[in-house]
Amino acid sequence: MEVQKSSKLKRIQWVALTFLMLAGIVNYLDRSTLSIANHSVSQELGLSASEMGLLLSAFSLAYAFSQLPIGAMLDKFGARVMLGAGMMVWSVAQLAGGFVGSLHQFLVARVFLGIGEAPQFPAGAKVVSEWFAVRERGGPTGIFVASSTIGPALAPPILTVLMLSFGWRMMFVIMGIAGIAVAVGWYIFYRNRNEVELTPSEILYLADGTEDSSDPNANAKLTWHEWKGLFKYRTTWGMLFGFMGVIYMVWLYLTWLPAYLEHERHLSIARTGWVVVIPYIFGTLGMLSSGYIADGLMKRGMAPIRSRKWPICAGLIGAGAFTIPAAYTPSTTMAIVYISLAMAFVNMASGGAWALVSVAIPRRLVASLGSLQNFGGYLGGSLAPLITGVVVDKTHSFVNALLISAAVAFAAALVYMFVVNKPIEGDQAPA
């Protein structure tokens, strides 16, 4: 007999997803501020394209290396404290960006922005694994990860209006204040699973026949030995290197798309602010579809790992395939069409990667695996703005930069296809 979800669990899930979505949108609005203000900042501070690439990469490098400890800290202390503290740090750093006067000062602010934002997506994966049964995790994962496309879709019109109305410095300050407000709300209203008293039927519903129903250590604290042991699995390395290809393309478009439209396609700042929304609408559709596709494949009998892996591979191949004609078409309209389709596919891969985390490992280790995946993703992703800046400086064109991202996406698809095959902790389980 199937156990029904209680009203308390529904309320907890609604609160968790609402705040994860809000936090994610603010997260990506904050990441996008420098991209939107790219031209204004470079002019005021006298920065070249290569120096802007360095500035854009500073965030992702700090974000990447912060992933290594952050997953273990999330599994040890919980999402309530770690995500709340992270939001506060990144919001203060964002606010400080409005007062910088040099490249060095801006680099420091961007580094702390990266450190503060590090818990966001591993925390989301942990929250979903704590408050949703395995059979329903794909949908909520797609919803909270969709903030990574909804945020950039909202960013151009919102941030462009703020920048044109108040200047780029005040835009940074306003966004910093908004993040502080969300951080306070998260800490007040969200609770970790071990902070809530659940009934036996609620525990049974969440366990859903997984390790929680039989493993006495399901709620045990993470140990150093366990965290270090994750590196002995092929699946860990496959997810780490595969996610590099996903985030390389995601980060290239996030950091350079406005500048690409202004310089390569000769659109005005105001028009760019609206045109950039289109690819991110498609990206949101791709992101939202990823979780439901995975859940649908699992319901039809496909094993959990495979139900997540194949949408990732399809997404990466599609993203690379549509980026190539975007690089060569002389038509601005067709470039937007191709980039929009590429965004839909690469974000389907991104959502699938986070859905993969929630089924590839026991619940209490989800944040650790998610953070290792994110470390790989943003280590590779940090190269995208830097390489793009250098290529643009040397060639005065974005063509080669786009072709490089397509090649990286194809390589990442092969990694997922041939390396990610078995769950972690349970190599004898069906893949």
Side-chain angles (χ1 to χ4, degrees):
M1 179 176 170
E2 185 176 343
V3 181
Q4 296 298 310
K5 187 189 301 185
S6 69
S7 58
K8 181 171 73 177
L9 282 180
K10 290 179 182 177
R11 183 174 63 254
I12 291 170
Q13 291 175 346
W14 183 86
V15 168
L17 281 180
T18 298
F19 273 98
L20 284 175
M21 178 66 78
L22 281 173
I25 289 172
V26 172
N27 182 303
Y28 268 81
L29 282 169
D30 287 348
R31 297 186 193 196
S32 300
T33 48
L34 185 57
S35 300
I36 297 298
N38 190 317
H39 185 68
S40 300
V41 170
S42 62
Q43 275 197 326
E44 183 171 329
L45 299 183
L47 305 179
S48 67
S50 296
E51 287 173 322
M52 283 303 298
L54 176 63
L55 190 55
L56 290 162
S57 291
F59 163 86
S60 47
L61 278 171
Y63 182 90
F65 282 99
S66 296
Q67 297 298 316
L68 293 174
I70 213 67
M73 293 171 72
L74 275 162
D75 282 329
K76 190 174 183 64
F77 300 112
R80 184 186 178 206
V81 168
M82 292 305 302
L83 181 55
M87 276 193 272
M88 191 62 68
V89 169
W90 100 51
S91 299
V92 171
Q94 176 69 12
L95 190 151
F99 299 95
V100 299
S102 67
L103 174 61
H104 175 75
Q105 291 175 354
F106 220 147
L107 283 170
V108 172
R110 295 290 290 183
V111 165
F112 277 95
L113 184 73
I115 293 171
E117 291 197 0
Q120 173 69 39
F121 290 98
K126 184 171 184 65
V127 168
V128 168
S129 71
E130 286 192 343
W131 291 115
F132 292 85
V134 169
R135 67 181 180 275
E136 61 177 356
R137 288 178 187 171
T141 298
I143 290 171
F144 94 76
V145 179
S147 62
S148 66
T149 53
I150 294 173
L154 295 174
I158 292 175
L159 297 179
T160 300
V161 168
L162 287 176
M163 185 175 69
L164 294 178
S165 300
F166 306 107
W168 68 266
R169 291 183 180 276
M170 187 54 64
M171 174 183 69
F172 276 75
V173 172
I174 292 171
M175 289 310 306
I177 294 171
I180 291 171
V182 177
V184 172
W186 167 261
Y187 189 78
I188 291 174
F189 292 106
Y190 178 75
R191 292 293 182 274
N192 298 322
R193 181 159 163 179
N194 61 7
E195 296 173 331
V196 179
E197 189 173 341
L198 299 175
T199 66
S201 64
E202 288 169 339
I203 294 172
L204 186 61
Y205 177 86
L206 292 172
D208 192 30
T210 61
E211 85 284 345
D212 283 1
S213 59
S214 58
D215 184 1
N217 297 317
N219 293 307
K221 296 292 186 182
L222 175 77
T223 66
W224 163 249
H225 177 74
E226 287 174 315
W227 184 87
K228 185 174 62 173
L230 294 177
F231 290 95
K232 72 181 181 180
Y233 293 96
R234 280 169 53 93
T235 294
T236 300
W237 289 104
M239 293 170 67
L240 190 154
F241 283 110
F243 206 51
M244 284 184 177
V246 175
I247 300 302
Y248 187 99
M249 184 174 287
V250 167
W251 202 237
L252 179 145
Y253 282 128
L254 181 69
T255 54
W256 281 104
L257 185 54
Y260 164 80
L261 293 173
E262 290 171 30
H263 297 295
E264 192 95 349
R265 300 295 173 176
H266 310 296
L267 300 184
S268 66
I269 293 177
R271 191 179 175 198
T272 294
W274 292 102
V275 171
V276 170
V277 174
I278 299 171
Y280 281 103
I281 291 174
F282 279 81
T284 301
L285 295 175
M287 186 74 75
L288 289 173
S289 70
S290 64
Y292 292 103
I293 290 171
D295 283 348
L297 292 173
M298 191 172 169
K299 287 176 183 176
R300 286 168 173 77
M302 188 176 285
I305 292 288
R306 289 178 180 167
S307 71
R308 272 64 178 167
K309 181 177 84 168
W310 292 116
I312 298 171
C313 294
L316 284 164
I317 292 169
F322 283 110
T323 294
I324 293 171
Y328 286 114
T329 181
S331 167
T332 298
T333 300
M334 289 309 300
I336 296 300
V337 170
Y338 291 133
I339 289 172
S340 295
L341 292 170
M343 290 285 280
F345 277 100
V346 77
N347 281 288
M348 183 174 79
S350 180
W354 284 107
L356 177 62
V357 172
S358 71
V359 301
I361 199 165
R363 170 172 60 84
R364 66 191 189 87
L365 301 172
V366 162
S368 293
L369 180 61
S371 67
L372 291 179
Q373 171 182 271
N374 226 16
F375 164 72
Y378 278 87
L379 191 61
S382 65
L383 298 174
L386 187 58
I387 290 173
T388 301
V390 172
V391 169
V392 171
D393 268 346
K394 290 186 176 297
T395 66
H396 307 290
S397 170
F398 283 84
V399 171
N400 288 337
L402 292 173
L403 295 179
I404 289 169
S405 74
V408 172
F410 291 142
L414 293 175
V415 171
Y416 277 109
M417 199 176 297
F418 295 109
V419 180
V420 180
N421 291 311
K422 296 182 179 179
I424 295 172
E425 285 202 349
D427 279 348
Q428 302 307 311

